[in-house]
Amino acid sequence: MLPKFLYHAPETIHEALELLNKYGREAKLLAGGTDLVVDLRERKTRPKAVIDIKRIKELNVLKYEPGRGLVIGATVTYHQILEYEPVRKKYPVLWEAVKTVADEILRMRATLVGNICTASPAADTAPALLVYDAVVETASKNGGRKIPIENFFTGVKKTVLEEGEMVVSVTLPEPPADAKGTYLKAMRVWSEDLALVGVAALVADGGKDVRLAYASVAPTPVRARKAEKVFREDGDIREKIEKAVELAVASVSPISDVRASKEYRLHLVKTFTRNALNRLLGVEAVVVA
Amino acid sequence: MLRSIKVVLNGVERTVDVEDHWTLLWLLREKLKLKGTKHGCDRGDCGICTVLVNNTPVKSCLVLAPEVNGAEILTIEGLAKEGSLAPIQKSFIEHSALQCGICTAAFVLTGHWLLQQGDGVDRKRVAEAIDGILCRCTGYRQIIEAIVDAARKK
Amino acid sequence: MKNFREDLKYVGKPVPRVDSYEKILGVAEYTGDIELPGMLHTKLVLSPYAHAKIKAIHTEKARKASGVVAVAVGDDFPFRVGLYVNDRNVLARKKVRWAGEPVVAVVAETLEQAYEAAELIEVEYEPLQPVLDVRDALKPGAPLVHEELGEYAHSPAFHPIPGTNIASRFTLKKGDVELGFKQSDVILENEFMMPQVSHVPLETHTSIGQYMPDGKIKIWTSAQSPFTVRHILSVSLGVPEHKISVYVPYIGGGFGGKAGINFEPLVVMLSKMAGGRPVKLELTREEQFITAPVRQGLYAKLKTGVKRSGEIMAEKILYVYDAGAYADYGVNVGRAAGYSCTGPYYVPNVETESLTVYTNHPWGTAFRGFGHFEFLWAIERQMDLVARELGMDPVEFRLKNALLPGKTTPTGEVLREDAGRIDECIRAVASRIDWGKKPVAAAGKPRGKGIAALWKAPAMPPNASSAAFIKFNEDGTAELLLGITEIGQGAETALAQIAAEELGLPVEKIKVVPFRHTDVSPYSWQTVASRGLFMDGRAVQMAARDAKNQIFDIASQVLRVSKEDLVLSDERVHVRGRPEVGLELRQLVNGYVYPNGNVVGGPVIGRGFYSAARLTYLDPETGQGYPALKWTFGAHAVEVEVDPDTGMVKVLKLVSAFDIGKAINPAIVLGQAYGGALQSMSLGLLEGYFYDEKGRMLNPNLTDYKIARASDIPEEHEVIIIENPQLDGPFGARGIGELSMLSVETAIANALYDAIGIDLKNLPITAEYIWKHIQAKKEKIPVEAVT
């Protein structure tokens, strides 16, 4: 049973912005709805108007151009992303992350932009966007902004978006030529779960350009820049990995909740970071009996 | 706000009046009296309200009724054609792939969709496709077998 | 012993379920689908406190809200209901006893209006100290959940202790436990625990009640046991049973949670307030978690004495069940665990105390397995721990102590000759898992094997009974009327097969009436306890034979032969040895009509019943007596793989064996085995009520109360059906419903020791819990310190 609201389905960005302006904070944008409808039902939000942007054709762009990167429109579903071959080839971290989101039925409905706008600390796609240095493109009556993803999240379920502003797309620049990457996610079950911890790792430039980002270990998805810097320097690769692991742990601040304890999350950050880096940097894992 | 929407529901074009804040599930069950679609959690976790919208499985508790304006909707009531069961329905019976039955429509419709998605429908693929739907009775094994077998016979 | 007929035509065959077509077409009726003229809708206002005085309830605004027909508070219903202990309010009175207890019910024309009005209700509380752990609840001076316990009426089978939180105390004494310990070479003590869990039926509890001004009551409800609903309501309200009608269509999963009586009294009383209009309550998923009854948690303490040679000499047992706020089924769970307390092993000296204790948690009820899932976790872990202490193989140790026919159970009952065979079950699963052969581990992922056994008898009053009707139609087809409900277990199909076999009538020619209505359905005590196939099966057999006798009465007159010389097969009655001399069934079942219009006989209606034979109440002090209609045995063996980085466990192979006497429908038995095993794994590895320090549930949704999904099932599951027939069972059958969900998680825990040397004593064994044990082992921290 949802509370009453007015439903709008604009067909252009312009119309959507008119509506956003009209209702201000009392409007909620609807894409896949997999977060919004739940919040409505639980009375976590009681907007006057719900603005469905799925009928705005220009928001459903999903396009990769060599050199220019990948553009993901605001209404592109996870399913579309998984089916789009260039994503799997050029942005494997994103592809792997998307593959872990919820279940297949929800992935045919839910959108990546919706995921980042909800700004849950557990957003699976956020660490992937962080390691690809994605840029969020917005529109508003006053024009638009291009916001680096690292500046987009400001707290638990909070973003820099302002009243009357909407995300139009997310752009992932062309990744470095030799980039390899992975997304490791801890879940309570094998089937589907929110991330207890999500680790995105990308390695390029012959192992000098290493990027690490995390979900569910801080109020926002975070990038571990200090840990990344370790690989810019020379030295033994195993030592560097261990140092990076320590710095990664230092850059997160997980809490204990019903899903996992702080200690378990810290352990997962450690072990997943190490496993990802070992694999991507071609280091044989040492099996400790 | 009350508004009129047009849908093709189980093959029949219809105009229906909906309130803005209704979900598709509410529309189907409470207004159109299609009780074969079940109500389980209202937050997209259990998936027993799954129906096909434009031939794609969706959890109808997460869709607003006005959103389906212009869409084709298939519910369990529309699957059997001219008195004969769809192959997926026959397979569920043959494999004893149901118990209490409350989740059955969701699995059958998702299975029906999967059969149209081309080859490679093995157990792993089926399990992944139905991970969004909960069943507390069967342990899923006979459901998976029913879908795999229906795909094999196609 | 396999002396049963081999020439069965319908029994033993995987015939399609009789409820398949309706369910596959989406037309099967469930309570939530029912719409009645003038039906009203209910929204509950729940307590946010685990324990608090209700100081004031402000309902004025809600009463004035649009569409509101009635607003009810606890004092509107000054009576209690209870299955065994009469302790439960329809809505909370004076105080709330758990976070989630209904305090106010708002009834309105539409559900939306009920929701809107419910938001206008204000309740003032004065928080009290809650009791959130059974061990705390037992401490002297603990806050009392029920101050008036001494005033409650209760069944003589249970023993509440006024002035404490003990809702019932069950004690059992067999032999001399102290002597047994003296005779033992090794004594091992351990404690085990598990939290409350939810049944998670995918259909939430749904009830519609109508209390008409002439005093008649009608109920449409998702209840497993319509006759119990009627009986308890009759007692609570003082309304005679013939004025109460309970209608139960298909049920969307029960697992025990819809047994007994739940929200039916509430909707009935709300209807009375609403002038007799039908009132519907359908719980939301969140309410299903925090307001509907749950399965008890358990704290267990075992002390086992064994000889070096492996014989168990003595067992001292303490089971403490967390009943939550109301006793309901919990007291009987405590009793059932008490008399089955040792598991499927012969123990000469036993002393058991099984307590059911009130706390400020949601109230507990029956859950598939009825206490056995819980205590078998303790027993079957302990078996492995003791075997290890002795340096004995766990399979060998179990076989050595197996409770075989001729030996005595904890209640002093001599296990009957035709009981199932635990040893065969254990040997079967051990053989199929290649017991003794070390599994080959994949890189960095240790593997291990484990075994656990199980047993269970139906927990029911000694006089529990079932009845059945078979009603023939003019064309020779028949209707089978049952009292047992169809909750998914397949009772309708199996019972139709039994009727078909007895009558020589194809299953397709028997319609099982797909609802229960206390006005017209035959009585059946309850749809619980894995008793339906056995007891209702016997009733169906008797009804079929009664119908057959009536048919032969008519045929013997027409054919002018003695009834003894008649044969019924393939829908035809003929003279033995002379198949050409006979009559079609349809010529007989509505009376035989001669060409001149004379008629012999009339419509055939068969009636049968079965009452449990030779059961007794148990001695209130020693627990000795005969509680068990049948004992069913089983065992599971698993091979698991562990990821030591995360603690995630994968079940590579599960082998289950059950001695069910006879598989009436092997496809349905498989479904029970697969489904029960996954429920067991899900409860054991994932599920639990987690509370904050104030007693509020932290995970009241399916996002954070995880249950197993399709990708979580064992990679392989082999089911072995053993058929040592029970001679008084229908075609030798015992039933399987609950058995399949016992002990799987324990076999997994035992395999985890084999894989990585950790000893788990608490459920659920989540990945994190396993990881913590791996860490503790590395750092040599005692297991008890791992939480």
Side-chain angles (χ1 to χ4, degrees), chain C residues 754-766:
Chain C
D754 188 45
I756 50 175
I758 59 168
D759 265 317
L760 307 174
K761 293 183 180 166
N762 301 338
L763 293 180
I765 43 179
T766 60

Side-chain angles (χ1 to χ4, degrees), chain C residues 692-735:
Chain C
D692 67 12
E693 71 289 349
K694 289 181 175 161
R696 289 172 302 203
M697 189 189 183
L698 291 167
N699 53 336
N701 56 58
L702 291 162
T703 307
D704 283 318
Y705 187 102
K706 304 298 285 184
I707 74 170
R709 294 176 183 269
S711 293
D712 300 316
I713 71 175
E715 286 187 3
E716 195 186 335
H717 186 181
E718 182 178 336
V719 178
I720 301 161
I721 298 170
I722 297 172
E723 296 184 317
N724 290 307
Q726 175 137 338
L727 300 177
D728 55 351
F731 298 94
R734 295 190 185 88

Side-chain angles (χ1 to χ4, degrees), chain C residues 88 98-99 195-201 205 254-258 262-263 283 286-297 321-330 333 359-368 370 374 683 688-689 691 697 705:
Chain C
R88 199 164 95 213
W98 87 90
Q196 292 184 315
V197 292
S198 171
H199 309 76
V200 194
H205 281 254
F255 316 110
K258 293 171 182 167
N262 294 293
F263 301 96
L283 295 191
E286 185 185 26
E287 288 165 348
Q288 183 68 37
F289 277 111
I290 64 172
T291 302
V294 306
R295 192 213 68 199
Q296 287 84 350
Y321 281 90
D322 178 355
Y326 294 118
D328 197 67
Y329 254 113
V333 169
T359 64
N360 293 113
H361 282 158
W363 48 293
T365 185
F367 193 130
R368 192 179 190 182
F370 210 70
E374 297 93 292
L683 293 183
Y689 273 52
Y691 298 100
M697 189 189 183
Y705 187 102

Side-chain angles (χ1 to χ4, degrees), chain C residues 759-760 762 768-777 781-787:
Chain C
D759 265 317
L760 307 174
N762 301 338
E768 174 169 352
Y769 185 58
I770 291 166
W771 169 76
K772 280 183 174 169
H773 275 269
I774 296 171
Q775 293 305 108
K777 191 165 177 260
I781 294 168
V783 170
E784 286 67 28
V786 181
T787 51

Side-chain angles (χ1 to χ4, degrees), chain B residues 21 29 33 35-36 38-40 43 45 76 89 92 98-102 131-132 134 136-142, chain C residues 23-24 26 30 32-33 35 112 198-199 202 252 282 285 488 667 671-672 675 679 687 703 708-711 714:
Chain B
H21 65 290
R29 273 186 69 82
K33 309 297 177 193
K35 305 284 189 179
K38 299 303 179 191
H39 174 218
R43 44 180 281 141
D45 287 325
I76 191 67
Q89 289 173 306
F92 267 62
L98 59 96
Q99 290 184 26
C100 85
I102 202 86
D131 264 340
L134 289 174
R136 189 65 153 169
C137 297
T138 63
Y140 306 100
R141 198 167 289 271
Q142 286 155 312
Chain C
K23 289 178 177 175
I24 214 78
Y30 299 82
D33 304 337
E35 297 194 354
E112 197 163 3
S198 171
H199 309 76
L202 286 170
E282 181 178 347
R285 180 55 56 188
Q672 291 295 302
Q679 199 167 42
E687 300 179 34
T703 307
R709 294 176 183 269
S711 293

